[in-house]
Amino acid sequence: MSTMIDIRRLQTVNKLAREGATTVADNLSQLTGVDTEMQITKINVLDVEDLAEHLGAEKQVGVNVPLLEEPYGSVLVLFDDRSARRVASTMMGGVDSDGGAYSDMERSAIKEVGNIMTSGFIDGWANVLGRTIDISTPNLFRAAGDDIVAHCVEPNDHEIAMVFDATLHAPDADVEAKIYSFPDVEEFVSMINDI
């Protein structure tokens, strides 16, 4: 099977990102009662071999969610510490962090937001593709570079990472996040080219 996307189908990838961002914002607005918008500012495709270097040595907070249906793989939402604490504070009704280790409540709040973002993003994809895409239980971690890759990528199973730079806009708090998708390349290309 070819793993080349017809260049005329690249607009579909943009549509997946836009639809996913809209669904995420709607879901977060309903959950928090705070009017939220999500903007995808950039889309990149990376070779998985370059991912650890791209992620760097600074620890980040990640929520990784495996996909149980095509295009398989997983979706990872990454926050730097500042954004992760802002997400937790917003979800906990404005309770500020003490700046130390993440509390159980903070970890739970971040995991929930990562899960909402992933499920919303994938629901947006499913709407565009006209199918369902079930997801598994989210995994929360704080790690850097190589360790993030080890948490999210099965060796020899994934060739590419699709990177969506996103900003969540809320009245009192903007949050920066990166959404990484690690699809089965053949399945993903087949899905895009079939539209």
Side-chain angles (χ1 to χ4, degrees):
M1 173 186 286
S2 173
T3 56
M4 298 181 68
I5 294 178
D6 183 331
I7 194 153
R8 295 166 294 188
R9 301 289 187 188
L10 290 179
Q11 65 185 358
T12 304
V13 176
N14 285 329
K15 187 174 180 182
L16 291 174
R18 283 193 310 272
E19 185 70 25
T22 299
T23 307
V24 168
D26 291 346
N27 291 354
L28 285 172
S29 296
Q30 289 175 10
L31 178 72
T32 63
V34 176
D35 190 28
T36 306
E37 294 180 6
M38 182 172 169
Q39 180 181 17
I40 302 293
T41 56
K42 185 168 54 171
I43 303 171
N44 283 321
V45 177
L46 294 176
D47 190 312
V48 165
E49 291 180 4
D50 300 327
L51 186 58
E53 183 178 344
H54 167 79
L55 293 169
E58 187 174 329
K59 287 191 174 181
Q60 301 176 69
V61 179
V63 179
N64 187 52
V65 182
L67 305 181
L68 300 176
E69 295 181 271
E70 295 175 354
Y72 299 108
S74 66
V75 173
L76 167 68
V77 178
L78 274 183
F79 303 101
D80 62 24
D81 278 315
R82 185 182 61 81
S83 289
R85 292 196 188 276
R86 187 171 284 168
V87 161
S89 174
T90 301
M91 288 293 288
M92 297 183 327
V95 175
D96 286 330
S97 169
D98 64 10
Y102 287 91
S103 70
D104 287 343
M105 285 183 62
E106 286 176 312
R107 286 194 299 272
S108 178
I110 295 164
K111 187 174 182 179
E112 182 61 21
V113 168
N115 190 40
I116 290 166
M117 288 180 68
T118 299
S119 62
F121 205 67
I122 292 303
D123 285 350
W125 284 25
N127 291 341
V128 172
L129 298 168
R131 64 174 65 213
T132 61
I133 305 173
D134 284 338
I135 63 175
S136 186
T137 306
N139 303 302
L140 176 71
F141 59 86
R142 184 170 181 268
D146 288 334
D147 290 333
I148 294 173
V149 174
H151 276 286
C152 304
V153 180
E154 290 293 327
N156 303 317
D157 274 4
H158 303 99
E159 299 170 31
I160 64 165
M162 296 177 59
V163 186
F164 303 88
D165 288 356
T167 302
L168 290 169
H169 301 283
D172 297 320
D174 284 353
V175 172
E176 300 292 326
K178 287 188 185 289
I179 301 172
Y180 293 79
S181 173
F182 307 103
D184 177 292
V185 175
E186 289 186 357
E187 298 287 354
F188 183 75
V189 169
S190 177
M191 289 169 66
I192 296 299
N193 285 338
D194 283 349
I195 295 177

